Each structure stands twice: as structure tokens, then as C-alpha cells.
Amino acid sequence: MSATAEQYFPLVVPATSLLLGLALLAGWRSLRDHRYLLWLAAGYICTAFPLAAQILMDNARLATWSVLTGALYCAGSWATAQGFALRSGGRVPVPAALAISLLTLFALFCFSRLSDVLGARIVFLNLGMGLLLALALPALFGREQPDTLFERLLSRTYLLLVAYAILRPLLAWLLAGWFTSSGLPRSGLWLWMLAFNLLLNLWLLFLLLGGLAQQLMGELRHERNHDPLTLLLNRRAFFEIANQRLQHDPANHWALLACDVDHFKQVNDTWGHAAGDNVLRQVGVLLQQMTRPGDLVARFGGEEFVLLLRCADLATAARVAERIRAGISEMHCSPAKQTITASFGVTMVAATDDLESALERADLAVYQAKREGRNRVIASPSQGGTDSIHLIHHSSL
């Protein structure tokens, strides 16, 4: 076998596949939660070695090593399918993947050791790889995925990859008569297919990394905007989103509810901070359950929560706060199963420039509720200060 530049130049394709696999492996080491990166790395790496062997060997040697190279091709296709399935929240069925792999290897054995038929090996190997890759399609198209440009392009590119693997031997047979060729790795069509395979894999990796970057940005945005304990909006995110809502939808009537858990320091001092954290988490869950999906629920810090609701008037907002107050008073989330209560301040928000003032009015109403015995809802009209605060509910502790 002569060592020519024409022979070794196609090694760029498996070398690139190997480097892409190593890059994905390095990415997985930094992002262990994204296990699909490990499977995709294995898919690229496992495919690189038999592809290099296919370029360097003549047809006689390919027949000798066809079962081993076929096993690596099947492993690479299986790992790739598993990676895409895991990324979409599914898994490749092991019995089906194992059955396809064994049948493919059996066919390669028969048409290399028992009878040397190059065309049959090409058909069965590519068909097996295509079927293994197709095992990820139910996860990609059968589950609800984020409707983003990257996700749409990624799913359609993967479908193209499956179709290409299955149809590749048919195209080669029709266009170049591979099955009777003695120089398969050196044919012009083979080089064109290598180039197309390289471009397809680079495009697929670009989409994968683009989708991963988009996902990581979303996770970072979520961490920036949410309280880590209750997973509610934090103070900064609340003001940002609330101002957007008030600017873009000024025709609606908006109500601001401030909530403060009563005697929270006693819970921490008596039962420890773990018990206090559990109380805050349970209150956060209840607030989300008793509000609508479009309402804003935030933890401002400590035991203080703030809500922005669409409400027709102050009386309606006060009734919502009363239902939440009653729900909290029925909770038993401390180690002693003692009752947890909260005090509420309610006011209406006139416009974006009224948000800070509305929060001050709601806070004053909460302080008034605390002074008058806690576990109550007090509403404050949009105009006026503490003199205009009036009692909605009273419950002695």
C-alpha cells in the first residue's frame, strides 16, 4: 500500500471526528449534569477509528477487519442515538439497539468470512447504523421540546443524518457502482461523501453547542432571577418584570400584596434554621398554588414575600389575600406541627411610577397588621398613608 498524499488527505475527516469527540468530552467534564455530552463524545470517538481504518485499508483488509470496524461503527451510532435521546429526556431501548447491532455484525461476518461480498457489507452496515440512529427519533419528535430555532434545526438535521445513513449505499450503488469497485476508499464519490459527512457533523455540533449555550444562558438567567431557597422571583427580578407588565399592559388593574410570616424568628430560635427554611419553602409553594400563572410571586428577603396580581379593585385583592392568609394558617410545617400565620398588606398600583410607593403603602399596612395582633389582612387605598389603612380580617393569637 503506497503512502500517497491522496490516500492520507481523507484522514482529516476521522481526525476531525476524534477532535470533536474530545471537545465534547472536555465539555462534559465541566458540565457533569449534561450526561448526553459524554454519550455524544463516545459517538464521535468510536466512529473516528473505523473510519480511519476504512481510509487506510484496501478492500481485502477491510473484509478481514469488517466485524471489528462494524462493532465500532455500531457502538458510535448507538452512543450518538443515546446522547440525543438523553438530551431530549428519553432513552434508547437497549433490547432494540442490541438486536440491531448483533444482526448487523452477523451480516458482516457472513459477507466477509463466509462469502466476501463488499456490496452486502456496505448495505447491512449502513442500514444497521441508520436504524440505531433512528432509535432516538421518538425522543426527539415524540416529546414536547422547547420551540427554538436551534431545537427545530437540530431535530431536522438529525433526521437528515438518519436518512443519509440508510440511503448512502443506495446512492453510491446508483451513482458509482461501488459494489464492484476494487478501490472503494479511493473513489471520487467516496471522497465527496466523506466531505459531506464532515460538514454534516460540524453543522450538527454547531447546533448542539448553540442549543447548549442557549440552555446555559437560560439556567444562568433563572439563577439570577430566582431565590435559591423558595425558587420564587427575587427582589431585582420582581421589579424588572413588574415594571414591564405595568408598562405593556397599563389598562389592567394591578394589586400589590406584601406578606410577612409571623413570629418567624421564634421558629428559627426554637427549631433551628432548617425548620425555618422549610417554613419559607412551604409558604412559597402555597403562594404559587393560590395565585394564577401570570401573577408575580417574589421573596424579598427573610420572611417577606411580595405579590403582583391582576385585580379589578382593592376589595377583590383583599379577598385574595384573605384566602392566602387562611391557607397559611392551616399549614403545619414546623417540627412541632404548630400553626404558622402571616400578616398581609394590600394596595392597588396605579402605574409604573407608583410601584415603589405602592410597596411602601403595603409595607405600612403589614406593620399595622403586626401592631394590631398579626394574622390579618389590612388594605391601604392608593391615596393616603397610615391614616387610610383599614382592617380586612382580625384574628387574635
Side-chain angles (χ1 to χ4, degrees):
M1 184 170 57
S2 61
T4 63
E6 291 80 3
Q7 179 183 355
Y8 289 115
F9 179 74
L11 287 174
V12 170
V13 177
T16 303
S17 180
L18 180 62
L19 291 175
L20 293 178
L22 293 175
L24 288 170
L25 184 61
W28 170 76
R29 288 176 61 85
S30 301
L31 302 168
R32 294 298 181 98
D33 291 340
H34 300 268
R35 290 185 59 244
Y36 69 88
L37 293 175
L38 179 61
W39 286 97
L40 294 176
Y44 277 100
I45 293 172
C46 286
T47 304
F49 292 103
L51 186 57
Q54 200 169 6
I55 293 171
L56 294 174
M57 294 180 182
D58 56 26
N59 288 347
R61 291 186 179 181
L62 285 175
T64 303
W65 295 96
S66 63
V67 176
L68 178 58
T69 56
L72 289 172
Y73 271 127
C74 288
S77 299
W78 188 344
T80 300
Q82 179 75 331
F84 275 94
L86 284 175
R87 186 182 182 278
S88 302
R91 295 187 69 88
V92 167
V94 174
L98 189 60
I100 294 171
S101 300
L102 291 177
L103 288 173
T104 302
L105 295 179
F106 178 73
L108 292 176
F109 175 81
C110 291
F111 292 106
S112 62
R113 301 301 176 85
L114 303 182
S115 176
D116 186 2
V117 183
L118 175 62
R121 294 203 307 270
I122 293 174
V123 169
F124 281 104
L125 177 59
N126 283 273
L127 181 60
M129 292 172 62
L131 291 176
L132 284 170
L133 291 171
L135 293 177
L137 293 179
L140 265 72
F141 292 95
R143 295 169 179 263
E144 186 176 349
Q145 304 294 336
D147 187 21
T148 65
L149 178 61
F150 276 113
E151 294 300 327
R152 291 194 297 270
L153 289 174
L154 187 61
S155 60
R156 285 156 179 76
T157 302
Y158 188 84
L159 186 60
L160 175 62
L161 181 66
V162 174
Y164 173 66
I166 295 175
L167 297 177
R168 182 166 46 201
L170 176 61
L171 293 174
W173 188 16
L174 294 175
L175 296 177
W178 262 7
F179 297 172
T180 59
S181 173
S182 61
L184 168 62
R186 297 168 185 80
S187 67
L189 181 61
W190 166 250
L191 297 178
W192 276 106
M193 285 192 166
L194 281 179
F196 179 77
N197 187 72
L198 175 61
L199 291 176
L200 187 59
N201 279 280
L202 287 172
W203 174 246
L204 200 60
L205 184 64
F206 167 75
L207 294 176
L208 276 169
L209 295 179
L212 178 61
Q214 194 173 53
Q215 182 182 359
L216 292 176
M217 289 298 293
E219 292 174 359
L220 290 174
R221 191 180 304 111
H222 184 274
E223 291 179 3
R224 183 194 67 173
N225 290 344
H226 290 78
D227 169 57
L229 178 63
T230 62
L231 302 182
L232 300 177
L233 294 174
N234 56 32
R235 186 186 187 100
R236 187 205 60 77
F238 175 85
F239 277 108
E240 180 180 315
I241 301 175
N243 281 317
Q244 292 175 358
R245 296 276 179 90
L246 293 169
Q247 288 175 355
H248 297 157
D249 200 3
N252 274 304
H253 297 281
W254 301 89
L256 190 74
L257 280 65
C259 166
D260 195 275
V261 179
D262 296 328
H263 301 296
F264 183 71
K265 186 175 184 302
Q266 292 182 9
V267 175
N268 279 332
D269 293 343
T270 305
W271 307 108
H273 289 280
D277 290 346
N278 184 54
V279 168
L280 295 176
R281 279 193 292 266
Q282 294 298 321
V283 171
V285 169
L286 183 70
L287 291 175
Q288 288 184 307
Q289 290 176 343
M290 301 191 73
T291 53
R292 296 163 297 185
D295 296 331
L296 299 185
V297 183
R299 181 190 176 201
F300 267 36
E303 64 272 28
E304 183 183 3
F305 299 86
V306 174
L307 299 82
L308 183 69
L309 317 176
R310 285 188 177 89
C311 283
D313 50 43
L314 186 62
T316 302
R319 286 194 294 269
V320 173
E322 173 58 22
R323 286 198 299 270
I324 298 174
R325 184 210 61 78
I328 293 175
S329 66
E330 295 173 1
M331 291 171 51
H332 300 284
C333 48
S334 69
K337 304 299 182 183
Q338 69 184 46
T339 299
I340 301 297
T341 64
S343 300
F344 285 80
V346 184
T347 190
M348 298 300 292
V349 185
T352 303
D353 54 5
D354 186 44
L355 185 59
E356 291 280 359
S357 178
L359 184 59
E360 293 178 3
R361 295 195 301 272
D363 282 339
L364 288 173
V366 170
Y367 296 147
Q368 184 75 11
K370 296 283 188 181
R371 287 194 297 269
E372 296 185 7
R374 297 181 173 83
N375 191 25
R376 64 197 65 212
V377 175
I378 291 184
S380 173
S382 299
Q383 301 298 325
T386 56
D387 293 340
S388 61
I389 293 175
H390 61 280
L391 179 68
I392 299 299
H393 174 82
H394 175 274
S395 177
S396 300
L397 296 180

